[in-house]
Amino acid sequence: MALYGMRAPGEIDVTRPRWREDPGSLLPSIDSHMRTVKPGEHRAKFAQGAEEADKAAQELLNRLRTQPFGRLKAKLMSRLIRSYRGYMGLREHPKYLMMQHFGLFHDGLLAEGRLLVGAGVLQQEEDVFYLTLGELLELTEGERPADLSGLAGAAERGV
């Protein structure tokens, strides 16, 4: 949870509960994985894929060596293949970082929601997700609308 607790189903929506708030949302996935995947199967499939990739790379390099300037082409391609395979996992890193930030936004909004509940402005901390940015800024600066009921309980009204 320390590494991935900021993830969630529909995680691009900052209002969705994060895994660290609701770990139970992971149970169906874990259950499905345990029923459909045998112990060690993932590692075996990964090893098989790596072996197939090595074989395909060797076949490509062997074909390149038969062409004009083949030795040079094979050397360059070998380096490109190593780089690609080494860095391919980084493609997920930007989304991971984005979800870390969304997790921080989510936590910050809930913290403001708790303060607004304590001040009697909102009924539930989650109601903060139904405020516009302008409304939230006004409330955090101490401004209170004449009709607080217009903000409190927004979630129940579906606003």
Side-chain angles (χ1 to χ4, degrees):
M1 286 299 177
L3 288 176
Y4 298 102
M6 77 295 198
R7 305 297 297 256
E11 63 195 356
I12 202 80
D13 181 352
V14 75
T15 68
R16 300 295 303 245
R18 305 290 134 175
W19 287 343
R20 69 176 160 260
E21 295 171 61
D22 181 19
S25 65
L26 285 169
L27 292 177
S29 296
I30 293 169
D31 180 53
S32 173
H33 181 76
M34 291 180 70
R35 282 187 286 111
T36 59
V37 179
K38 297 175 185 161
E41 183 179 344
H42 174 74
R43 291 190 199 306
K45 282 185 178 181
F46 184 84
Q48 178 185 358
E51 189 176 306
E52 290 172 4
D54 289 340
K55 183 179 175 185
Q58 275 308 308
E59 289 173 7
L60 175 63
L61 295 174
N62 289 338
R63 282 194 324 246
L64 282 174
R65 286 187 188 101
T66 65
Q67 297 181 358
F69 301 102
R71 201 169 143 224
L72 178 64
K73 290 177 182 179
K75 186 175 181 177
L76 177 61
M77 182 57 71
S78 177
R79 181 179 169 103
L80 290 172
I81 290 170
R82 276 194 320 274
S83 294
Y84 179 77
R85 289 184 66 193
Y87 293 117
M88 190 169 54
L90 290 177
R91 74 185 190 280
E92 290 296 318
H93 197 63
K95 184 177 180 193
Y96 175 78
L97 289 175
M98 186 171 73
M99 289 307 106
Q100 279 186 318
H101 285 89
F102 275 37
L104 293 172
F105 302 154
H106 179 85
D107 294 347
L109 287 168
L110 284 178
E112 283 301 321
R114 279 189 291 280
L115 292 173
L116 293 170
V117 167
V121 177
L122 299 177
Q123 292 177 357
Q124 300 174 47
E125 63 187 48
E126 292 84 9
D127 287 348
V128 75
F129 294 127
Y130 296 93
L131 299 173
T132 66
L133 180 59
E135 290 170 335
L136 182 59
L137 289 173
E138 288 175 7
L139 290 172
T140 58
E141 292 169 354
E143 297 177 31
R144 298 294 185 258
D147 182 19
L148 287 179
S149 65
L151 297 176
E156 286 92 29
R157 292 191 321 275
V159 175

